[in-house]
Structure formats: structure tokens, C-alpha cells
């Protein structure tokens, strides 16, 4: 037995924590240049993804309010389904990142292939279910809606459901590029998708007068193309750290699938519970009139754009911490988590200070009534303060925990705080205390605070070190 092997065998007897262990693998080095190269395309990609849905609604507005309403309803449900793909991709990202950190390229590629297989199977099940139950889903969530709105929603939903397998392929492949530290390829693909979507909408909605169907077909075709581009890039180049060579020789690896789903399923449940809770809380606005609904719609749009940089930081942290843990470098995992949290806070502070300064001109773009405008100002002030203080610990730190394999803890905390804090407190403050619609934003801030405390406590306790993914 050589010297290195002897040290590795004897280490457990003399150490109390992995943090005390000398590295046995090459240390993970994410210098400032590498961090910048990873994060700016991630942030840009998140912003561009949000723009796709906004562009569809703006361009279809010429057809009528029923078209905008129909697309809006479908997108609300669609976001729930997309979270399932993203959650499974999270599981694949954690597994692949840890193998990359361990310098095990063979298993990193194997995890990528298994992620693609899982994503396609789940997407086909969701596609079939949605095509059969789409009208029931719309009425179950939104109640009775006008016939023209239902017709528009039905048409849009058919094409969007058919695109699920291609969306799942894109999500899985984009996750693998990010695991390799190459976030520029997914960003460029989303830029192409935006350009294609705008051109397709112009041709099909304005040129061929296809209305809602035109917007849906354009999105459907765009998802097919972007999935094909990423699959082609990962199959053709065998020299990539992660590639999909041999993807057509389908072979399921039960142990690898289990590793992915051990992260993916809790992440999916967490995201689904979160989105369902948001829908239930949003229904409060309907009780306070059109002005409250419009004010929240504008506030939510502004907030969704503000959230995107934080989402990019979270996705990057998942990859970085995963690689550190795969290499056994727990000290580096803690160091990079602190650094990215600091960057997240700085970015969020900058964004929210500018929203507060330029709030009136920004809201003015949406031509709200004075009552709705004033409500929106109140909503955004509450949100800017609470999110600046509490959003980063509640939504960035969980990605570090997931990267370590602590996804079940994240799921339990997120589910409990969403339902016991945000949902219950929102209804209590709105109806029992009588604070009105601003109660939703106050409850949201309380949710951020409670989540953040529990996640930070978990991270500082080092219990995530005990988890094992690979």
C-alpha cells in the first residue's frame, strides 16, 4: 500500500469533521475571472427567459384582451410544470457537478445521459396528462371564465403542452453546459430563441393573422430548435467534459437515476408547493377590486425582473458548491458561498435602491389608474425593503444546501414557511386584521425572513456536510 493510500485510510480515525481534512483531490479554484464568466451569462439568460412570455403577451394584445388573458392563465399553470423540469435538472446538476469536482468524467457523462432520459419520460407523461385535462385544470384553478378566454387558453395550451419534451431536453442540456462552467452557450441559445420568437410572432400573428395560435406555434417551434441545437453540440463534440455521445443507445442506470431523483424530487415538490401557495395568495387581490389586481400584476412584473440576478447567482452557487464537495473541498464550499452571498446582497441592494428612486416613472409605463398606481407604490416599497434584507438567505443559500445533497431539508422548510407563514399570515392580515391587499407583501417578507433564518442556521450548523450524493 502506498503512502497516499495509507493516509486516506487512517484519516477518519483522527478527524472530527470533513472541514479538518486535508484535500486528497485537486482544489477547486473559482477565481474572480471564472466567477464573472459564469455569472453574467446566467443572469442575462434568466432575464431573457422572462422576456419570452412578456413578448408573447405584448404582441398578441392586438388580437384582444381575451387573447392576453388566455395566455396569462396558461402561463401561470405552465410555470408550475416548468418548475418540475428545472427541479429534475437541479438533481442532474448536483450529481454531475460533484463528479466533475471528483475528476470522474465518465460518470459525469453518464449522469447527463440519465438526466436526459428522465426528463423526456417525465415530460411525455406531463404532455399527455395536460392535453387530456387542460380545460379541467384551467377551470379548477381559475373557476368560471368567459368562453372567448377559455378558447384562447385552450388553443395556446395545446401547442405549449406539445413542446414539453423539447423544453425538458433544453433544460437538461443547458444544465450540463452550466456544470462545465460554460453558461454562454445557454445564454446565446436563449438570445436566438427570443429573436426567433419575435420574428415568428410577427409573421404568424400579424402576417398570417393566426392570433393566439400564431404565438403558440412560434414558441413551440422555438423550443424544438433550441433543444436540437444543444443536443447537437453535446453529441458532436466528444472532447467536452460532459457530452452525450452514445445517447441513442438507451441504457438506464438505476443507481444514477436514484442519485438524481434524490435531489430532483424534493426540489420539484418544494417548487410546486411554492408556486401553488403563490397562486392561492394571489387570489386575495381579486377580493379587493380591479385596482388591486392591476397593481399586483405590475408589481409582480417588476419584481420578477428584479429576482432574475438572484436566480442566476443561485444556479451558479449550485454548480460551484457541487464541484467543491465532489473534490472533498468543504472549506472552499463555505468560502465561495460567503462570497456569492455578498455579491447577491450587493446586486439586490443596487436593484432595489434604483426601483425605489425611479418607482413612479417605472410604474407610469403601465398606465394604471391613480388608485392602482398608489397601491403599486405601496406594494413595491414593502417588497424592496423586505427582499433586500431577507431574500438572499432564503433563496440563494438553499442552492448550496441542495448541492451538498440536503434537498429534503430545503423542501420541508420551504413548504412549511410558505403555507404556515406566507399563506396563513396573508389571509389573517388581509381579512382578520383588515390590512387589505398589502397584507400579501407583508406576509411575503415574513416568509423570506423565516426561510432565511432556518436555512442560515442549517448552513452554519455544518449538518449538510453529513449528506452524501455520490
Amino acid at each position: 500500500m502506498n503512502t497516499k493510500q495509507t493516509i486516506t485510510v487512517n484519516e477518519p480515525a483522527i478527524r472530527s469533521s470533513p472541514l479538518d481534512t486535508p484535500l486528497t483531490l485537486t482544489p477547486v479554484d473559482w477565481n474572480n475571472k471564472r466567477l464573472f464568466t459564469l455569472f453574467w451569462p446566467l443572469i442575462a439568460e434568466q432575464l431573457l427567459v422572462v422576456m419570452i412570455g412578456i413578448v408573447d403577451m405584448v404582441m398578441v394584445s392586438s388580437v384582444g384582451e381575451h387573447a392576453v388573458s388566455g395566455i396569462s392563465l396558461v402561463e401561470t399553470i405552465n410555470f408550475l410544470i416548468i418548475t418540475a423540469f428545472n427541479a429534475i435538472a437541479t438533481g442532474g446538476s448536483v450529481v454531475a457537478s460533484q463528479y466533475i469536482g471528483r475528476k470522474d468524467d465518465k460518470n459525469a457523462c453518464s449522469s447527463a445521459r440519465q438526466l436526459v432520459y428522465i426528463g423526456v419520460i417525465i415530460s411525455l407523461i406531463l404532455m399527455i396528462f395536460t392535453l387530456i385535462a387542460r380545460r379541467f385544470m384551467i377551470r379548477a384553478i381559475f373557476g368560471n371564465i368567459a368562453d372567448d378566454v377559455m378558447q384562447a387558453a385552450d388553443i395556446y395550451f395545446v401547442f405549449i403542452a406539445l413542446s414539453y419534451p423539447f423544453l425538458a431536453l433544453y433544460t437538461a442540456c443547458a444544465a450540463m453546459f452550466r456544470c462545465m462552467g460554460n453558461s454562454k452557450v445557454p445564454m446565446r441559445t436563449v438570445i436566438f430563441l427570443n429573436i426567433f420568437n419575435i420574428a415568428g410572432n410577427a409573421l404568424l400573428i400579424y402576417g398570417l393573422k393566426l392570433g393566439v395560435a400564431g404565438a403558440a406555434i412560434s414558441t413551440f417551434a422555438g423550443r424544438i430548435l433550441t433543444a436540437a441545437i444543444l443536443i447537437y453540440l453535446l453529441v458532436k463534440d466528444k472532447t467536452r467534459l460532459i457530452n452525450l455521445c452514445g445517447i441513442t443507445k438507451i441504457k438506464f442506470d438505476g443507481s444514477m437515476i436514484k442519485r438524481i431523483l434524490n435531489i430532483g424530487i424534493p426540489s420539484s415538490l418544494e417548487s410546486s408547493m411554492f408556486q401553488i401557495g403563490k397562486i392561492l395568495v394571489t387570489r386575495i387581490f381579486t377580493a379587493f377590486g380591479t385596482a388591486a389586481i392591476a397593481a399586483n400584476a405590475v408589481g409582480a412584473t417588476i419584481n420578477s425582473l428584479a429576482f432574475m440576478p438572484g436566480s442566476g447567482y443561485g444556479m451558479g452557487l449550485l454548480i460551484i458548491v457541487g464541484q467543491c464537495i465532489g473534490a472533498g473541498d468543504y472549506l472552499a464550499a463555505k468560502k465561495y458561498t460567503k462570497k456569492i452571498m455578498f455579491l447577491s446582497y450587493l446586486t439586490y441592494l443596487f436593484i432595489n435602491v434604483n426601483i425605489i428612486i425611479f418607482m413612479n416613472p417605472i410604474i407610469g409605463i403601465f398606465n394604471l389608474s391613480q388608485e392602482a398606481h398608489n397601491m403599486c407604490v405601496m406594494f413595491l416599497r414593502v417588497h424592496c425593503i423586505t427582499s433586500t434584507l431577507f431574500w438572499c438567505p432564503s433563496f440563494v443559500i438553499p442552492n448550496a444546501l441542495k448541492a451538498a445533497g440536503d434537498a429534503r431539508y430545503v423542501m420541508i422548510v420551504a413548504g412549511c414557511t410558505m403555507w404556515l407563514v406566507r399563506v396563513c399570515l396573508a389571509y389573517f392580515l388581509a381579512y382578520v386584521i383588515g390590512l387589505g391587499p398589502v397584507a400579501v407583501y407583508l406576509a411575503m417578507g415574513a416568509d423570506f425572513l423565516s426561510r432565511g433564518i432556518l436555512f442560515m442556521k442549517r448552513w452554519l450548523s455544518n449538518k449538510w456536510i453529513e449528506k452524501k450524493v455520490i
Side-chain angles (χ1 to χ4, degrees):
M1 182 178 290
N2 62 38
T3 304
K4 184 175 181 181
Q5 289 173 321
T6 304
I7 291 172
T8 302
V9 171
N10 291 335
E11 273 178 357
I14 61 173
R15 77 175 191 262
S16 59
S17 165
L19 292 171
D20 302 323
T21 308
L23 296 176
T24 57
L25 297 171
T26 304
V28 177
D29 180 24
W30 282 89
N31 56 42
N32 290 337
K33 183 178 180 181
R34 284 193 72 197
L35 288 174
F36 179 76
T37 303
L38 175 69
F39 280 121
W40 81 259
L42 270 176
I43 293 170
E45 181 192 351
Q46 297 308 299
L47 291 168
L48 289 166
V49 167
V50 172
M51 291 304 298
I52 295 171
I54 294 173
V55 166
D56 269 359
M57 283 193 282
V58 170
M59 295 188 75
V60 85
S61 62
S62 62
V63 179
E65 289 185 357
H66 70 284
V68 176
S69 299
I71 289 178
S72 177
L73 296 181
V74 172
E75 285 299 317
T76 301
I77 301 173
N78 193 43
F79 197 75
L80 272 171
I81 295 171
I82 289 174
T83 57
F85 301 148
N86 289 335
I88 298 301
T90 295
S93 295
V94 169
V95 174
S97 294
Q98 290 202 15
Y99 278 123
I100 289 173
R102 188 179 280 188
K103 309 300 180 186
D104 187 346
D105 299 350
K106 181 179 178 180
N107 274 317
C109 291
S110 175
S111 66
R113 290 193 294 271
Q114 298 306 311
L115 175 61
V116 168
Y117 299 150
I118 297 168
V120 170
I121 291 170
I122 292 174
S123 66
L124 287 171
I125 294 170
L126 288 172
M127 180 190 76
I128 294 168
F129 174 79
T130 302
L131 288 173
I132 295 171
R134 62 187 186 278
R135 282 181 169 264
F136 171 79
M137 293 166 66
I138 293 170
R139 294 203 183 278
I141 295 173
F142 301 105
N144 292 323
I145 57 177
D147 290 341
D148 56 349
V149 174
M150 173 56 81
Q151 184 177 1
D154 187 50
I155 293 170
Y156 192 75
F157 218 164
V158 168
F159 287 99
I160 294 303
L162 290 172
S163 75
Y164 287 160
F166 305 100
L167 179 60
L169 282 171
Y170 167 81
T171 304
C173 293
M176 292 304 103
F177 274 104
R178 297 187 199 107
C179 287
M180 293 185 281
N182 187 349
S183 53
K184 288 184 181 179
V185 169
M187 179 197 69
R188 290 168 181 161
T189 308
V190 175
I191 291 173
F192 166 78
L193 179 58
N194 272 270
I195 294 170
F196 180 88
N197 195 47
I198 291 170
N201 282 348
L203 172 65
L204 299 174
I205 297 173
Y206 303 142
L208 299 180
K209 308 295 182 184
L210 294 181
V212 172
I217 293 169
S218 180
T219 300
F220 176 46
R223 286 178 175 175
I224 293 174
L225 286 174
T226 51
I229 290 169
L230 294 190
I231 286 285
Y232 173 74
L233 291 175
L234 288 174
V235 169
K236 77 159 189 172
D237 191 349
K238 297 181 180 180
T239 63
R240 291 189 190 275
L241 192 61
I242 295 179
N243 61 70
L244 292 177
C245 296
I247 188 72
T248 55
K249 298 176 182 177
I250 299 174
K251 183 178 180 181
F252 292 99
D253 183 338
S255 60
M256 190 70 74
I257 290 172
K258 184 179 178 180
R259 294 185 189 107
I260 294 171
L261 293 182
N262 278 342
I263 305 295
I265 290 176
S267 297
S268 181
L269 291 173
E270 171 214 340
S271 299
S272 298
M273 287 188 293
F274 184 77
Q275 293 304 324
I276 292 169
K278 281 181 67 176
I279 291 172
L280 290 176
V281 170
T282 302
R283 292 182 69 145
I284 290 175
F285 294 103
T286 62
F288 292 93
T290 304
I293 297 171
N296 178 61
V298 172
T301 300
I302 295 170
N303 291 335
S304 67
L305 293 172
F307 282 146
M308 290 305 106
S311 298
Y313 283 122
M315 293 172 70
L317 184 61
L318 186 83
I319 294 159
I320 293 167
V321 172
Q323 290 188 10
C324 290
I325 291 173
D329 197 344
Y330 291 90
L331 289 173
K334 297 194 70 127
K335 180 183 77 171
Y336 290 124
T337 299
K338 291 176 184 177
K339 188 170 187 175
I340 293 166
M341 277 291 290
F342 178 71
L343 292 173
S344 301
Y345 262 113
L346 280 183
T347 304
Y348 224 118
L349 178 63
F350 174 79
I351 291 171
N352 282 332
V353 165
N354 279 278
I355 289 176
I356 289 173
I357 293 172
F358 301 106
M359 190 177 294
N360 282 306
I362 293 171
I363 298 172
I365 295 171
F366 296 89
N367 296 315
L368 297 176
S369 66
Q370 191 59 49
E371 181 186 5
H373 184 104
N374 292 340
M375 277 190 186
C376 192
V377 167
M378 180 170 56
F379 296 164
L380 286 177
R381 281 176 179 165
V382 172
H383 186 267
C384 285
I385 293 170
T386 57
S387 62
T388 300
L389 294 173
F390 311 130
W391 191 88
C392 294
S394 61
F395 287 94
V396 178
I397 283 290
N399 288 283
L401 296 175
K402 290 177 186 177
D406 209 3
R408 291 184 184 180
Y409 179 83
V410 174
M411 175 192 71
I412 292 168
V413 168
C416 290
T417 59
M418 166 55 77
W419 291 92
L420 297 178
V421 179
R422 187 181 297 201
V423 175
C424 293
L425 187 60
Y427 278 88
F428 178 77
L429 293 177
Y431 298 115
V432 178
I433 303 299
L435 294 182
V438 74
V440 173
Y441 283 82
L442 292 170
M444 191 188 305
D447 178 30
F448 295 163
L449 173 60
S450 56
R451 284 168 59 107
I453 290 172
L454 292 170
F455 288 142
M456 284 301 298
K457 184 178 179 182
R458 183 72 165 188
W459 178 256
L460 294 173
S461 74
N462 291 331
K463 289 183 179 179
W464 49 275
I465 292 173
E466 302 167 6
K467 303 299 177 180
K468 185 177 180 181
V469 175
I470 62 174

